[in-house]
Amino acid sequence: MVIPEKSANIAEQYQKVLEKIASTATRVGRSADEVKLVVVTKGHSIERIHQVIEAGALRLGENYAEEAVEKINQLQASLNVKKVEWHMIGHVQSRKAETVVRYFDFVHSLDSVKLAERYERYANQLNKNLPVLLEINVSGEESKFGFSAWEKTNWDPLQTDIEAILSKPHLRVCGLMTMAPYFDDAEKARPIFRRLVEFQIYLKRKFPEVDWKELSMGMSSDYEVAIEEGATIVRIGQAILGPRTKA
Ligand SMILES: *Cc1c(COP(=O)(O)O)cnc(C)c1O
């Protein structure tokens, strides 16, 4: 993975990544506009976020609700024209659910029925329709958040939870998200992305009335492989913004 120097020009890095996304998509016979970029701004200063917005970024991803709210509020003051979408990509504690519904446009990391119930309650109160992705653990690692679906024998038992989430009128389930562990060799992430696609096909068959089309997979280290395997959303931080200053 190439991580640019801190002094690297953010606009340039942003364009490079966009070009790489486009060339990877066309190489495998996909159209470049099938893949949306979320720029992951966690751990970066307002100045740097501002620069990437100026460079044209439309979707920004954050992991921590509180850190994000601070930034969103600060940026709102300086950005009266541009409307960026905020994407929650990290694990959310139930007590932060209201903040997320209030400030975010899209949730990638829905990982429990309990959280879905909280989102539903606040989305209802705030009269919002919240687009969500189900976070799926297909890496076989115990420590990761998300519904565990590496083993195909887990798929049928997950249906009850998925039905419960699908029944929430203010949540719009539009696909799946996964995070591969970090590998030096991105090829090692390929089986994980393939398994997510297999699970998506399974869900399309079980719940044909739902639009499962979004696949949020791929980060700085493995986004090209993810696009080759069908990603519709990639979440990229370091390759655009350089090393993070906070964790
Ligand atoms: C931090 C993070 C990313 C981006 O990682 P980079 O290596 O900076 O590209 C993507 N997805 C999630 C869920 C993250 O936490």
Side-chain angles (χ1 to χ4, degrees), residues 58-226:
L58 299 170
R59 302 172 199 90
L60 304 184
E62 285 279 340
N63 282 49
Y64 304 101
E66 269 155 18
E67 180 186 335
V69 165
E70 234 174 82
K71 290 173 177 173
I72 294 170
N73 285 333
Q74 287 185 52
L75 283 162
Q76 228 87 52
S78 60
L79 287 172
N80 33 28
V81 215
K82 284 179 188 141
K83 170 82 190 111
V84 295
E85 261 180 30
W86 290 92
H87 290 234
M88 172 46 75
I89 62 172
H91 174 68
V92 174
Q93 293 166 302
S94 304
R95 62 196 165 80
K96 299 284 164 58
E98 183 178 10
T99 308
V100 171
V101 174
R102 218 175 258 286
Y103 284 89
F104 284 80
D105 303 293
F106 202 102
V107 172
H108 292 231
S109 49
L110 181 53
D111 58 7
S112 72
V113 174
K114 184 179 172 199
L115 192 53
E117 282 162 358
R118 294 289 176 101
Y119 284 149
E120 170 61 27
R121 185 199 304 167
Y122 298 118
N124 184 20
Q125 281 174 14
L126 296 166
N127 200 17
K128 271 193 160 185
N129 204 315
L130 187 67
V132 298
L133 304 176
L134 306 183
E135 180 170 355
I136 309 296
N137 176 353
V138 275
S139 73
E141 282 193 351
E142 295 272 326
S143 60
K144 286 269 160 60
F145 291 109
F147 295 98
S148 191
W150 170 256
E151 299 288 350
K152 291 187 180 178
T153 50
N154 279 359
W155 293 4
D156 282 342
L158 281 177
Q159 278 189 52
T160 319
D161 279 1
I162 292 173
E163 273 165 16
I165 294 171
L166 293 175
S167 73
K168 307 283 178 264
H170 297 85
L171 304 187
R172 185 162 55 81
V173 175
C174 42
L176 307 175
M177 179 275 230
T178 201
M179 199 171 159
Y182 175 78
F183 297 113
D184 281 330
D185 176 7
E187 277 303 319
K188 294 201 173 123
R190 194 182 296 277
I192 293 170
F193 299 144
R194 286 204 171 149
R195 187 55 62 95
L196 192 70
V197 173
E198 283 182 276
F199 187 52
Q200 181 197 36
I201 292 166
Y202 166 88
L203 291 171
K204 280 179 178 167
R205 199 156 28 79
K206 291 285 176 187
F207 303 99
E209 71 286 3
V210 178
D211 186 5
W212 294 102
K213 86 169 187 303
E214 304 296 349
L215 286 176
S216 170
M217 57 188 198
M219 329 203 299
S220 293
S221 55
D222 55 21
Y223 71 93
E224 290 163 70
V225 173

Side-chain angles (χ1 to χ4, degrees), residues 1 40 42 63 89 177 179 219-220 235-238 244:
M1 161 173 48
V40 178
K42 67 166 183 236
N63 282 49
I89 62 172
M177 179 275 230
M179 199 171 159
M219 329 203 299
S220 293
R235 310 176 308 267
I236 300 178
Q238 301 175 76
R244 285 183 268 278

